[in-house]
């Protein structure tokens, strides 16, 4: 009796191994169902196409920075004459740099702002504009920026560039900087 069990067990083992090899060879499993059900599709769905943008995307605007030898002004920006910048409302000890740069298209201005601490990002908004002047209010960003609470920040507060888009071309108007 022992002799007949061993060949039978080997036969079952070989049959099982052969079925496993066929499955591993890439033959897909098809669920058993009624004859009218179709096998699942093995084709990939088509890739979605992206519609081209409806409006042209503006290239990034050049931004003023600071370097070892002072302010670095990229091409495309020019400094406004000092008489066209009113920065009297800014504390002199916090805002020693009072220059304002205007873009070639005359639709944005840039200047440096001082944050109250190293983790705060500053922004400016157009507070008012008339035929003679454009008033910009400098304030910390309304939405927190950056990482989790308790994040480590630099220990030195440095001036950061702020860029403001203007609703109309600046023209000959004066720029007034205030704290908001």
């Amino acid at each position: 009796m022992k002799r007949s069990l061993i060949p039978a067990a080997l036969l079952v083992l070989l049959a099982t191994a052969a079925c496993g090899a066929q499955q591993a060879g890439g033959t897909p499993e098809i669920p058993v169902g009624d004859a009218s059900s179709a096998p699942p599709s093995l084709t990939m769905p088509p890739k979605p196409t992206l519609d081209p943008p409806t409006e042209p995307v503006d290239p990034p605007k050049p931004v003023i920075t600071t370097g070892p030898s002072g302010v670095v002004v990229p091409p495309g920006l020019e400094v406004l004459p000092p008489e066209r910048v009113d920065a009297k409302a800014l504390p002199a000890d916090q805002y020693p740099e009072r220059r304002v740069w205007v873009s070639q298209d005359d639709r944005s201005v840039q200047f440096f702002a001082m944050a109250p601490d190293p983790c705060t990002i500053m922004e400016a908004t157009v507070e008012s504009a008339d035929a003679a002047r454009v008033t910009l209010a400098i304030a910390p960003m309304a939405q927190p920026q950056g990482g989790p609470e308790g994040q480590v920040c630099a220990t030195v507060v440095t001036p950061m560039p702020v860029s403001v888009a203007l609703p109309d071309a600046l023209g000959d108007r004066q720029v007034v900087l205030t704290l908001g």
Side-chain angles (χ1 to χ4, degrees):
M1 177 122 168
K2 284 186 179 180
R3 286 186 180 197
S4 62
L5 282 176
I6 293 175
L10 282 175
L11 193 58
V12 170
L13 236 160
L14 287 173
T16 306
C19 287
Q22 187 176 6
Q23 290 265 335
T27 306
E29 286 187 32
I30 299 175
V32 178
D34 62 322
S36 64
S37 65
S41 172
L42 298 176
T43 59
M44 295 294 291
K47 290 184 178 180
T49 56
L50 298 175
D51 294 332
T54 55
E55 293 184 27
V57 177
D58 290 335
K61 303 229 185 281
V63 178
I64 55 174
T65 58
T66 56
S69 28
V71 176
V72 178
V73 182
L77 295 174
E78 79 175 55
V79 68
L80 286 176
E83 62 272 7
R84 289 196 44 209
V85 178
D86 177 356
K88 291 181 276 201
L90 303 178
D93 60 332
Q94 292 179 351
Y95 285 86
E97 177 61 71
R98 292 169 177 256
R99 290 182 289 179
V100 174
W101 289 265
V102 64
S103 62
Q104 277 182 328
D105 66 0
D106 211 30
R107 300 290 304 235
S108 68
V109 295
Q110 294 183 31
F111 53 90
F112 287 100
M114 291 299 290
D117 62 69
C119 292
T120 302
I121 297 176
M122 301 298 286
E123 68 180 346
T125 55
V126 177
E127 190 172 81
S128 65
D130 59 29
R133 74 189 80 210
V134 174
T135 302
L136 305 175
I138 305 167
M141 283 190 122
Q143 296 295 318
Q145 304 295 311
E149 278 190 45
Q151 71 183 12
V152 177
C153 296
T155 57
V156 178
V157 177
T158 59
M160 61 180 61
V162 174
S163 182
V164 181
L166 303 174
D168 301 310
L170 181 61
D172 294 330
R173 296 183 287 176
Q174 183 178 40
V175 173
V176 180
L177 301 175
T178 64
L179 295 177

